[in-house]
């Protein structure tokens, strides 16, 4: 199975009003595994009403201070998640652990949490319908041109960076070159 085979066969689907409910189920399950002192937030395209997306729920998780990715991994594995692996500036685990994924957990430290790019990006798209629509058009054009996998992610990079830097500027934070 190639890395892109881990995603559902539908590359982009129209926004599904059931995605918040699916997130709520994952959140409930994760709270049972992780405990109440972990912050969870629905992020990614499935968290943005009206935005087409891969049908995979992205969840940002703030680990309590002092918690390691290894400890988080032990807890997640007991619930059927993969072991976390480094992804840019954070760690990520997928559900289910093998096969076609339906959810991805993005683990951030307590220090990273306020500036976590995934959170800033999704929040900006939820607040700015014009930017959301620009992002939708970009994603749809890439898929129409058969751009997928790492090239798809890389091709969205400049848009993501501009959007994250807009959110960072509003918070009085310096720009980043590449938020991933």
């Amino acid at each position: 199975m190639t890395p892109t085979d881990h995603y559902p066969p539908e590359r982009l689907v129209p926004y599904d009003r059931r995605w918040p409910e699916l997130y709520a189920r994952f959140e409930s399950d994760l709270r049972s595994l992780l405990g109440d002192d972990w912050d969870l937030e629905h992020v990614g395209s499935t968290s943005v009403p009206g935005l087409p997306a891969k049908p995979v729920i992205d969840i940002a998780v703030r680990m309590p201070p002092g918690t390691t990715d290894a400890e988080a991994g032990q807890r997640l594995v007991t619930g059927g998640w993969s072991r976390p692996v480094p992804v840019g500036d954070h760690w990520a685990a997928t559900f289910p652990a093998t096969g076609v994924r339906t959810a991805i957990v993005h683990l951030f430290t307590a220090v990273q949490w306020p500036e976590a790019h995934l959170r800033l990006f999704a929040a900006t798209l939820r607040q700015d319908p014009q930017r959301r629509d620009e992002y939708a058009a970009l994603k749809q054009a890439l898929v129409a041109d058969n751009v997928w996998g790492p090239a798809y992610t890389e091709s969205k990079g400049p848009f993501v960076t501009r959007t994250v830097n807009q959110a960072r500027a509003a918070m009085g934070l310096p720009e980043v070159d590449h938020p991933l």
Side-chain angles (χ1 to χ4, degrees), residues 1-13 19 22 26 46 53-58 94-96 98-104 143 148-149 152:
M1 184 180 277
T2 64
T4 55
D5 291 335
H6 293 297
Y7 284 105
E10 308 87 3
R11 293 191 172 175
L12 287 180
V13 298
W19 285 337
L22 291 172
F26 279 113
T46 61
K54 293 184 297 271
V56 177
I57 304 297
D58 284 283
T94 60
F95 185 87
T98 59
V100 176
R101 59 187 58 153
T102 58
I104 303 172
V143 170
W148 196 243
Y152 174 78

Side-chain angles (χ1 to χ4, degrees), residues 30 33-35 37-41 43 58-64 67-77 81-94 103-119 179:
L30 285 165
L33 290 172
L34 302 173
D37 53 344
W38 298 61
D39 289 329
L40 286 84
E41 183 177 318
V43 295
D58 284 283
I59 305 160
V61 175
R62 183 201 54 83
M63 299 184 293
T67 303
T68 66
D69 57 279
E71 180 184 343
Q74 290 171 342
R75 291 177 184 220
L76 290 167
V77 166
W81 292 80
S82 68
R83 289 212 175 276
V85 296
V87 179
D89 68 345
H90 65 282
W91 292 77
T94 60
I104 303 172
V105 160
H106 302 270
L107 299 165
F108 294 94
T109 65
V111 171
Q112 291 174 304
W113 187 250
E115 299 176 26
H117 62 277
L118 290 171
R119 297 180 64 231

Side-chain angles (χ1 to χ4, degrees), residues 139-158:
K139 291 167 56 155
Q140 290 166 329
L142 290 170
V143 170
D145 288 342
N146 206 29
V147 177
W148 196 243
Y152 174 78
T153 302
E154 188 64 31
S155 295
K156 296 184 305 178

Side-chain angles (χ1 to χ4, degrees), residues 14-28:
Y15 180 78
D16 188 329
R17 294 183 190 279
R18 294 173 296 174
W19 285 337
E21 179 184 316
L22 291 172
Y23 164 76
R25 285 189 221 150
F26 279 113
E27 180 183 12
S28 176

Side-chain angles (χ1 to χ4, degrees), residues 120-166:
L120 298 178
F121 185 68
T124 300
L125 294 182
R126 285 191 296 269
Q127 296 167 2
D128 186 341
Q130 181 177 347
R131 190 168 292 261
R132 177 203 63 208
D133 293 346
E134 290 172 19
Y135 189 53
L138 171 63
K139 291 167 56 155
Q140 290 166 329
L142 290 170
V143 170
D145 288 342
N146 206 29
V147 177
W148 196 243
Y152 174 78
T153 302
E154 188 64 31
S155 295
K156 296 184 305 178
F159 183 91
V160 172
T161 300
R162 282 192 309 276
T163 302
V164 168
N165 280 330
Q166 174 191 348

